PDB file of all heavy atoms in Angstrom:
ATOM      1  N   GLN D  97     126.348 -21.821-166.773  1.00 92.00           N
ATOM      2  CA  GLN D  97     126.705 -20.735-167.681  1.00 92.00           C
ATOM      3  C   GLN D  97     125.529 -20.484-168.620  1.00 92.00           C
ATOM      4  O   GLN D  97     124.949 -21.426-169.157  1.00 92.00           O
ATOM      5  CB  GLN D  97     127.958 -21.071-168.482  1.00 92.00           C
ATOM      6  CG  GLN D  97     129.211 -21.054-167.636  1.00 92.00           C
ATOM      7  CD  GLN D  97     130.458 -21.306-168.449  1.00 92.00           C
ATOM      8  OE1 GLN D  97     130.401 -21.674-169.616  1.00 92.00           O
ATOM      9  NE2 GLN D  97     131.611 -21.111-167.825  1.00 92.00           N
ATOM     10  N   ILE D  98     125.195 -19.202-168.791  1.00 93.00           N
ATOM     11  CA  ILE D  98     124.051 -18.801-169.596  1.00 93.00           C
ATOM     12  C   ILE D  98     124.520 -17.767-170.608  1.00 93.00           C
ATOM     13  O   ILE D  98     125.240 -16.823-170.268  1.00 93.00           O
ATOM     14  CB  ILE D  98     122.933 -18.213-168.716  1.00 93.00           C
ATOM     15  CG1 ILE D  98     122.467 -19.252-167.697  1.00 93.00           C
ATOM     16  CG2 ILE D  98     121.764 -17.741-169.548  1.00 93.00           C
ATOM     17  CD1 ILE D  98     121.511 -18.705-166.656  1.00 93.00           C
ATOM     18  N   LEU D  99     124.089 -17.933-171.863  1.00 93.00           N
ATOM     19  CA  LEU D  99     124.382 -16.960-172.913  1.00 93.00           C
ATOM     20  C   LEU D  99     123.210 -15.992-172.993  1.00 93.00           C
ATOM     21  O   LEU D  99     122.065 -16.404-173.172  1.00 93.00           O
ATOM     22  CB  LEU D  99     124.576 -17.667-174.264  1.00 93.00           C
ATOM     23  CG  LEU D  99     124.950 -16.775-175.445  1.00 93.00           C
ATOM     24  CD1 LEU D  99     126.304 -16.109-175.206  1.00 93.00           C
ATOM     25  CD2 LEU D  99     124.966 -17.580-176.734  1.00 93.00           C
ATOM     26  N   LEU D 100     123.505 -14.703-172.820  1.00 94.00           N
ATOM     27  CA  LEU D 100     122.474 -13.667-172.795  1.00 94.00           C
ATOM     28  C   LEU D 100     122.639 -12.739-173.985  1.00 94.00           C
ATOM     29  O   LEU D 100     123.758 -12.424-174.386  1.00 94.00           O
ATOM     30  CB  LEU D 100     122.561 -12.839-171.513  1.00 94.00           C
ATOM     31  CG  LEU D 100     122.417 -13.575-170.191  1.00 94.00           C
ATOM     32  CD1 LEU D 100     122.695 -12.623-169.033  1.00 94.00           C
ATOM     33  CD2 LEU D 100     121.042 -14.178-170.064  1.00 94.00           C
ATOM     34  N   GLY D 101     121.520 -12.281-174.523  1.00 94.00           N
ATOM     35  CA  GLY D 101     121.507 -11.238-175.529  1.00 94.00           C
ATOM     36  C   GLY D 101     121.124  -9.935-174.857  1.00 94.00           C
ATOM     37  O   GLY D 101     120.073  -9.842-174.231  1.00 94.00           O
ATOM     38  N   VAL D 102     121.982  -8.935-174.933  1.00 93.00           N
ATOM     39  CA  VAL D 102     121.781  -7.681-174.220  1.00 93.00           C
ATOM     40  C   VAL D 102     121.588  -6.557-175.224  1.00 93.00           C
ATOM     41  O   VAL D 102     122.427  -6.349-176.107  1.00 93.00           O
ATOM     42  CB  VAL D 102     122.981  -7.377-173.297  1.00 93.00           C
ATOM     43  CG1 VAL D 102     122.766  -6.083-172.541  1.00 93.00           C
ATOM     44  CG2 VAL D 102     123.226  -8.526-172.334  1.00 93.00           C
ATOM     45  N   THR D 103     120.470  -5.854-175.103  1.00 94.00           N
ATOM     46  CA  THR D 103     120.190  -4.660-175.895  1.00 94.00           C
ATOM     47  C   THR D 103     119.899  -3.528-174.930  1.00 94.00           C
ATOM     48  O   THR D 103     119.736  -3.762-173.738  1.00 94.00           O
ATOM     49  CB  THR D 103     118.981  -4.887-176.836  1.00 94.00           C
ATOM     50  OG1 THR D 103     117.814  -5.053-176.043  1.00 94.00           O
ATOM     51  CG2 THR D 103     119.183  -6.088-177.735  1.00 94.00           C
ATOM     52  N   PRO D 104     119.803  -2.298-175.407  1.00 93.00           N
ATOM     53  CA  PRO D 104     119.477  -1.202-174.488  1.00 93.00           C
ATOM     54  C   PRO D 104     118.093  -1.347-173.847  1.00 93.00           C
ATOM     55  O   PRO D 104     117.859  -0.843-172.759  1.00 93.00           O
ATOM     56  CB  PRO D 104     119.536   0.044-175.363  1.00 93.00           C
ATOM     57  CG  PRO D 104     120.432  -0.312-176.483  1.00 93.00           C
ATOM     58  CD  PRO D 104     120.211  -1.779-176.718  1.00 93.00           C
ATOM     59  N   GLN D 105     117.188  -2.058-174.500  1.00 94.00           N
ATOM     60  CA  GLN D 105     115.833  -2.170-173.971  1.00 94.00           C
ATOM     61  C   GLN D 105     115.607  -3.412-173.111  1.00 94.00           C
ATOM     62  O   GLN D 105     114.789  -3.391-172.206  1.00 94.00           O
ATOM     63  CB  GLN D 105     114.796  -2.195-175.118  1.00 94.00           C
ATOM     64  CG  GLN D 105     114.670  -0.902-175.856  1.00 94.00           C
ATOM     65  CD  GLN D 105     115.749  -0.726-176.921  1.00 94.00           C
ATOM     66  OE1 GLN D 105     116.367  -1.691-177.362  1.00 94.00           O
ATOM     67  NE2 GLN D 105     115.995   0.509-177.308  1.00 94.00           N
ATOM     68  N   GLN D 106     116.304  -4.518-173.404  1.00 95.00           N
ATOM     69  CA  GLN D 106     116.010  -5.752-172.689  1.00 95.00           C
ATOM     70  C   GLN D 106     117.199  -6.703-172.694  1.00 95.00           C
ATOM     71  O   GLN D 106     118.159  -6.521-173.431  1.00 95.00           O
ATOM     72  CB  GLN D 106     114.803  -6.442-173.310  1.00 95.00           C
ATOM     73  CG  GLN D 106     115.004  -6.847-174.753  1.00 95.00           C
ATOM     74  CD  GLN D 106     113.726  -7.372-175.370  1.00 95.00           C
ATOM     75  OE1 GLN D 106     112.689  -7.397-174.718  1.00 95.00           O
ATOM     76  NE2 GLN D 106     113.789  -7.785-176.616  1.00 95.00           N
ATOM     77  N   ILE D 107     117.069  -7.759-171.873  1.00 94.00           N
ATOM     78  CA  ILE D 107     118.058  -8.826-171.797  1.00 94.00           C
ATOM     79  C   ILE D 107     117.303 -10.138-171.996  1.00 94.00           C
ATOM     80  O   ILE D 107     116.332 -10.409-171.290  1.00 94.00           O
ATOM     81  CB  ILE D 107     118.787  -8.820-170.436  1.00 94.00           C
ATOM     82  CG1 ILE D 107     119.516  -7.503-170.242  1.00 94.00           C
ATOM     83  CG2 ILE D 107     119.741 -10.001-170.342  1.00 94.00           C
ATOM     84  CD1 ILE D 107     120.105  -7.325-168.868  1.00 94.00           C
ATOM     85  N   ASN D 108     117.749 -10.957-172.949  1.00 94.00           N
ATOM     86  CA  ASN D 108     117.094 -12.226-173.252  1.00 94.00           C
ATOM     87  C   ASN D 108     118.060 -13.369-173.036  1.00 94.00           C
ATOM     88  O   ASN D 108     119.257 -13.259-173.329  1.00 94.00           O
ATOM     89  CB  ASN D 108     116.612 -12.266-174.706  1.00 94.00           C
ATOM     90  CG  ASN D 108     115.501 -11.279-174.962  1.00 94.00           C
ATOM     91  OD1 ASN D 108     114.669 -11.038-174.096  1.00 94.00           O
ATOM     92  ND2 ASN D 108     115.509 -10.698-176.143  1.00 94.00           N
TER      93      ASN D 108
END
Side-chain angles (χ1 to χ4, degrees):
Q97 289 183 350
I98 300 172
L99 183 63
L100 301 173
V102 181
T103 66
Q105 291 82 20
Q106 62 187 2
I107 299 172
N108 293 325

